[in-house]
Amino acid sequence: MAHSASDNVLGEPLSTENKVLTKGAAATQDFGPLKNICAHLNAFHVYADDPKRFVEANHYCGHLNDEVRQCLLYDSPEPGARLIGIEYMITPSLYETLPPSERKLWHSHVYEVKSGMLIMPNPLVPTTVWEVAENKEMEQVVHLYGKAYHLWQTDRGDALPLGGPSLMTSFTADEQFDFDKSVGERDARFGTDYRRKRGVREHIEEPEIHPDADQTWKK
């Protein structure tokens, strides 16, 4: 029997009353901000203050405008997934406007895109067809800087979101973790292949990364 992420959360199962209330709200309320979500991205986030720790994150992102995106981060793509954090993404032109102390909190996405780690899962569309849309997204994301905070440390088994927020970052090189194992296991679940992704993304140019970004790997 399959288990959902909510099985690892303290508390009683959803009551019949709350199930009815939930269905009623879903049928009558608008949930406007959530309708702005237009992309599901999957990659791995690293604890900025402890780069040996990392977790898989499912990003559900929407555009605020052409230069700012905001993402809700979940520990799985399944119903009942735990909301583990948030990420903002901005263009290089906006990143340049930030003071140096702020820029150091942000990470690049170049390695995530070019390595094949970052994917847009879609099991309903044939791979060769979907990759056209996915690559268009990657051609934009490769330029963006992200600022992510996780609120729930699921990797240490916390059954509730304990403590303060944790600043997260991204990987920037193969040797920083066991890429084949972690990404390979993820690919097996989503039916994707990072090796293929690397190949079909060879045409995507690597932008120059600002020296203030990715500070975890420069300490």
Side-chain angles (χ1 to χ4, degrees):
M1 180 178 178
H3 295 277
S4 70
S6 60
D7 293 334
N8 299 318
V9 181
L10 290 179
E12 295 296 320
L14 202 63
S15 66
T16 300
E17 179 183 7
N18 278 330
K19 288 180 180 178
V20 171
L21 290 173
T22 299
K23 289 183 178 180
T28 59
Q29 291 187 295
D30 186 52
F31 303 148
L34 298 181
K35 293 181 179 179
N36 193 44
I37 291 174
C38 60
H40 169 203
L41 303 172
N42 178 286
F44 294 82
H45 282 167
V46 187
Y47 287 85
D49 62 353
D50 186 0
K52 292 182 179 179
R53 293 176 62 196
F54 61 93
V55 294
E56 184 178 335
N58 289 275
H59 307 52
Y60 291 87
C61 305
H63 295 259
L64 284 179
N65 55 45
D66 244 15
E67 296 195 79
V68 181
R69 304 182 186 196
Q70 56 186 12
C71 307
L72 299 173
L73 308 177
Y74 290 87
D75 65 339
S76 93
E78 303 301 327
R82 290 172 287 186
L83 177 65
I84 59 174
I86 56 172
E87 180 171 358
Y88 300 98
M89 299 182 188
I90 60 175
T91 59
S93 60
L94 290 183
Y95 183 78
E96 291 279 0
T97 69
L98 303 175
S101 59
E102 174 63 27
R103 288 199 297 260
K104 292 179 179 181
L105 302 176
W106 297 70
H107 61 267
S108 65
H109 290 95
V110 176
Y111 176 77
E112 289 187 14
V113 169
K114 296 293 288 183
S115 69
M117 179 197 299
L118 184 65
I119 61 171
M120 288 180 64
N122 192 332
L124 303 179
V125 180
T127 298
T128 54
V129 175
W130 180 244
E131 280 174 347
V132 175
E134 184 181 57
N135 278 355
K136 289 295 183 182
E137 181 77 5
M138 296 302 147
E139 289 168 8
Q140 293 188 22
V141 175
V142 74
H143 295 278
L144 303 180
Y145 291 92
K147 180 180 179 182
Y149 283 96
H150 281 206
L151 309 171
W152 199 325
Q153 299 187 47
T154 54
D155 63 305
R156 67 182 185 187
D158 290 2
L160 290 173
L162 305 176
S166 297
L167 178 68
M168 310 298 283
T169 189
S170 63
F171 289 112
T172 60
D174 288 345
E175 63 271 15
Q176 291 167 351
F177 74 126
D178 190 339
F179 187 101
D180 289 342
K181 180 179 186 296
S182 297
V183 180
E185 290 176 354
R186 187 280 312 273
D187 280 350
R189 283 185 278 107
F190 283 101
T192 55
D193 183 352
Y194 71 82
R195 299 174 186 85
R196 177 181 174 84
K197 302 293 184 187
R198 285 181 176 180
V200 299
R201 296 175 187 176
E202 286 183 351
H203 72 282
I204 299 178
E205 295 185 9
E206 296 188 24
E208 183 177 351
I209 300 172
H210 195 287
D212 286 343
D214 303 320
Q215 281 297 306
T216 292
W217 309 111
K218 299 173 182 177
K219 296 175 181 178

